[in-house]
Amino acid sequence: METLFGNLFNLQWQQVVMWAIGGVLIWLAIRKKMEPSLLLPMGFGAILVNLPFSGAVTQVFETGTEEGALDVLFDAGIANELFPLLLFIGIGAMIDFTPLLANPKLMLFGAAAQFGIFFTLCAAALLGFPLKNAASIAVIGAADGPTSIFVASYLKSDYLGAILVAAYSYMALVPIIQPPVIRLVTTREERRIRMPYAQRKVSKTAKILFPILITVIAGLFVPRSVSLVGFLMFGNLIRECGVLDSLSETAQKVLANLITLLLGLTVASRMRAEDFLTKETLMILALGLVAFIFDTVGGVLVAKVYNIFAKNKINPMIGAAGISAFPMSARVINQMGLEEDNQNFLLMHAAGVNVSGQIASVIAGGMILSMFG
């Protein structure tokens, strides 16, 4: 009888809490459709690695080593930064930089929306986190899961699991987090500012040269960002070159979805109760929220300052799309514009800022690595 129910007798309350956290992630994935390809495997993995006996995963998935299957997957895909780099190829293939190329000044707001990263870095350091851990926590504000993974892994953060859960969870919660923050720092009149969109033709040559030039510039000025930027831009070059359409489609769908699925399971390997249920985890979750809020506020405030000097006013809400949650943030801004004025279409402007934020967040991650790597 004891053998039959041995696991039950070894069950601890902390493991039950982690099952509940895993259940919430699964509920968000299925019921709310928030990043289901990531949150579903992450939630299931959180339950799996917290079965009674820390060796349960090894027993279920025998690998011939002292590590469990998920640990082996972690060593193969995250410890060497392989998964985030491959995922960047898929993300790059998804991005259309046309709105940004048609209106390059939008890059300003993408850069401004990275303010939360550096604010949170200072806050985390003041709260007592060692600088490398503080830097890893700050990159949650990039609203870019692969960048968070890459930086935290490269800096060998002690809180990788909590950082990744915070980064991806908040990225999925952009539709909930951003609107109240934006309303807090804008007036109704500002939110109703219309921005007519005049489509400008962008040549195929410009679309091909853009990823190449961005990679070269990043390599010259922020060398530590070149692998991140390079893989992102290579994915975009596959999209725009016009001779690799089938490969582009594979990168956007099959590659991106497969790597995201593996990432979810792999991140869960760092969600064991003894490592995850700590006061530091709660602090990281709070700091991640601070980073998201200040990223949003930074982008909006710079847009408001721009309006002081600009002849043609812009809707300051588009500044909030400078976070790297592409294309979710752009859709949120467009929806908010339509709620204020059913003829106020902001999608293309917000999308331009959103893709610039993708580039800026990767470069910001490279700057963090240059300072603390």
Side-chain angles (χ1 to χ4, degrees):
M1 182 67 69
E2 184 176 349
T3 302
L4 182 61
F5 296 102
N7 277 0
L8 181 61
F9 294 141
N10 284 280
L11 184 62
Q12 299 178 352
W13 68 266
Q14 293 93 337
Q15 293 169 318
V16 177
V17 171
M18 292 307 299
W19 293 356
I21 292 173
V24 170
L25 294 176
I26 293 172
W27 180 79
L28 289 173
I30 296 175
R31 190 75 176 185
K32 298 298 183 181
K33 298 182 180 179
M34 292 182 176
E35 298 289 332
S37 60
L38 180 82
L39 294 189
L40 184 63
M42 189 186 297
F44 182 79
I47 296 172
L48 182 64
V49 299
N50 285 288
L51 293 173
F53 294 122
S54 59
V57 176
T58 303
Q59 294 167 10
V60 175
F61 301 103
E62 185 62 49
T63 62
T65 71
E66 294 182 357
E67 295 183 305
L70 297 185
D71 292 314
V72 173
L73 194 60
F74 181 90
D75 293 338
I78 289 187
N80 59 9
E81 294 95 34
L82 176 64
F83 286 171
L85 290 177
L86 289 177
L87 186 55
F88 266 115
I89 295 177
I91 294 172
M94 295 178 194
I95 295 177
D96 182 3
F97 286 114
T98 302
L100 178 61
L101 292 172
N103 194 1
K105 71 171 182 284
L106 297 178
M107 180 66 81
L108 170 67
F109 309 115
Q114 311 311 310
F115 169 73
I117 296 176
F118 299 98
F119 178 87
T120 306
L121 170 61
C122 298
L126 289 173
L127 287 173
F129 285 99
L131 279 178
K132 287 193 175 184
N133 284 324
S136 300
I137 293 167
V139 179
I140 295 172
D144 186 351
T147 300
S148 297
I149 293 172
F150 188 91
V151 172
S153 299
Y154 190 94
L155 296 180
K156 301 190 184 320
S157 172
D158 299 321
Y159 307 106
L160 183 59
I163 289 169
L164 301 191
V165 170
Y168 276 107
S169 298
Y170 287 137
M171 190 169 71
L173 292 172
V174 162
I176 296 174
I177 296 172
Q178 279 204 309
V181 176
I182 293 170
R183 292 189 184 99
L184 188 64
V185 294
T186 57
T187 65
R188 187 166 186 268
E189 289 72 24
E190 287 174 329
R191 295 194 296 272
R192 290 172 62 88
I193 294 175
R194 291 188 180 184
M195 295 180 65
Y197 181 72
Q199 187 172 2
R200 299 177 184 175
K201 184 176 177 58
V202 178
S203 69
K204 183 176 179 179
T205 301
K207 292 181 181 180
I208 292 174
L209 288 177
F210 181 74
I212 297 172
L213 292 175
I214 290 294
T215 303
V216 171
I217 292 170
L220 291 175
F221 292 97
V222 191
R224 287 291 177 87
S225 72
V226 73
S227 57
L228 293 170
V229 174
F231 276 69
L232 180 73
M233 292 299 145
F234 175 66
N236 187 251
L237 184 60
I238 291 173
R239 173 194 177 100
E240 300 296 352
C241 68
V243 294
L244 294 172
D245 291 342
S246 60
L247 188 58
S248 173
E249 185 175 348
T250 300
Q252 293 178 48
K253 297 178 181 178
V254 178
L255 178 65
N257 289 333
L258 178 60
I259 295 298
T260 301
L261 185 71
L262 292 174
L263 271 176
L265 286 171
T266 308
V267 168
S269 72
R270 292 303 181 265
M271 292 178 67
R272 293 184 174 93
E274 60 270 23
D275 300 321
F276 195 83
L277 295 179
T278 64
K279 66 176 183 180
E280 287 81 9
T281 296
L282 294 176
M283 293 170 67
I284 289 168
L285 292 173
L287 287 166
L289 181 59
V290 167
F292 263 64
I293 290 173
F294 275 86
D295 276 350
T296 299
V297 171
V300 172
L301 292 183
V302 168
K304 289 167 71 102
V305 171
Y306 174 88
N307 278 347
I308 296 174
F309 305 98
K311 180 179 179 182
N312 297 319
K313 307 298 182 185
I314 65 170
N315 191 310
M317 291 197 299
I318 69 169
I323 67 171
S324 183
F326 175 84
M328 196 181 308
S329 185
R331 292 172 181 166
V332 168
I333 302 307
N334 184 60
Q335 182 60 37
M336 290 185 67
L338 292 173
E339 288 174 359
E340 298 289 344
D341 176 354
N342 61 13
Q343 296 300 310
N344 193 9
F345 298 97
L346 300 172
L347 183 60
M348 296 306 295
H349 303 286
V353 177
N354 210 179
V355 297
S356 75
Q358 180 74 64
I359 299 172
S361 68
V362 173
I363 292 175
M367 293 173 64
I368 292 290
L369 290 179
S370 297
M371 291 188 287
F372 302 103

